[in-house]
Amino acid sequence: MSGRTQGSREARTLAVDLHVHTDASYDCEMSVEAVLARAAAVGLDAVAITDHDSVGSLPRAFDIAHEYGVRVVPGVEVSTADGHLLALGVDDPPATGRPLSETARAVRESGGLAVVPHPFQTFRHGASRRAIRDVDAVEVYNAHTLTGFRNGQARRYARREGLPGTGGSDAHRPALVGQAYTAVSVAADGGVTTDAILDGVRAGRTVARGTRTTARQYLRKYALNARLKTASFL
């Protein structure tokens, strides 16, 4: 998926899935090894591990990422009072239950990147327009959708507000890693680093790409979620 573009300064385009879960999330059974193996197989340069309110998989991911040739971007999907928020480039999970704008400011003050995932999808804890404040980017392509209607809404919103758009698979199973991703333009001589990726997103040097899940994949995800949630209460 990587490539190069020519201009006044040579640049490299990285393929980064900015929204992936592992078994550190309550609704996922996918191992770090499975994530990295799939990311390498589909040609991703990097993957952001964004478990629900947890960074439990990050130490293992950092330890073994070199074996797969894939950069791991640290992150977490935070449960705010107004919906979910991706905190990228952070090593510790932000406090939960605070307003989204307050959480986003805290993420930014710590040097991280605040990205709103699956906005407007309230049944998936997506934030409303009113709640989206002080963020760095909006996820405009989330692979877990049947019609693409909400992705279209998110894309139009990001364009209207002048916010960078990102893509992420929201994968909970290996086959979905990389199904949506962000093409990020970085300096050709800078290497595949977390700082370069986050700086590229902040600057809006992004293109969201991907394909939607099939109806079968969509239903399997929510069947798995329901089973794991039920098991957690037993």
Side-chain angles (χ1 to χ4, degrees):
M1 292 184 183
S2 297
R4 293 182 185 273
T5 59
Q6 297 293 329
S8 57
R9 181 184 179 187
E10 190 175 14
R12 180 183 183 187
T13 300
L14 304 179
V16 188
D17 190 339
L18 288 174
H19 189 172
V20 176
H21 294 272
T22 75
D23 51 16
S25 287
Y26 66 85
D27 58 353
C28 182
E29 295 179 316
M30 181 164 54
S31 69
V32 168
E33 289 83 355
V35 169
L36 295 175
R38 181 62 178 177
V42 299
L44 291 174
D45 296 291
V47 60
I49 293 181
T50 54
D51 286 309
H52 292 292
D53 303 317
S54 172
V55 294
S57 284
L58 290 181
R60 175 66 175 162
F62 291 146
D63 283 346
I64 66 173
H66 68 279
E67 300 175 14
Y68 299 87
V70 176
R71 165 69 60 174
V72 171
V73 176
V76 60
E77 186 166 9
V78 190
S79 300
T80 81
D82 304 302
H84 289 173
L85 180 72
L86 297 180
L88 303 178
V90 301
D91 296 316
D92 297 313
T96 63
R98 296 182 296 177
L100 186 145
S101 59
E102 180 181 325
T103 307
R105 284 194 296 271
V107 170
R108 297 175 74 174
E109 289 170 0
S110 69
L113 196 74
V115 180
V116 181
H118 43 73
F120 319 135
Q121 299 185 41
T122 54
F123 76 100
R124 298 181 61 197
H125 308 287
S128 67
R129 285 178 175 81
R130 181 178 298 178
I132 300 174
R133 297 287 185 275
D134 296 321
V135 301
D136 296 292
V138 172
E139 186 180 73
V140 300
Y141 202 107
N142 181 290
H144 275 291
T145 180
L146 285 176
T147 68
F149 176 72
R150 293 300 188 187
N151 282 339
Q153 277 190 319
R155 192 179 300 274
R156 290 188 294 273
Y157 175 84
R159 186 182 303 119
R160 185 169 61 249
E161 299 297 322
L163 290 167
T166 68
S169 66
D170 199 357
H172 288 66
R173 293 188 296 108
L176 299 182
V177 174
Q179 186 153 341
Y181 65 96
T182 308
V184 184
S185 180
V186 302
D189 57 356
V192 183
T193 68
T194 293
D195 285 345
I197 291 166
L198 298 187
D199 287 345
V201 175
R202 284 191 189 94
R205 299 191 301 268
T206 62
V207 178
R209 295 176 176 163
T211 56
R212 299 196 303 268
T213 55
T214 65
R216 182 179 180 181
Q217 290 171 328
Y218 187 88
L219 293 173
R220 283 186 66 183
K221 174 184 184 296
Y222 287 102
L224 174 63
N225 287 359
R227 177 172 64 81
L228 293 177
K229 287 179 181 178
T230 299
S232 69
F233 288 110
L234 297 179

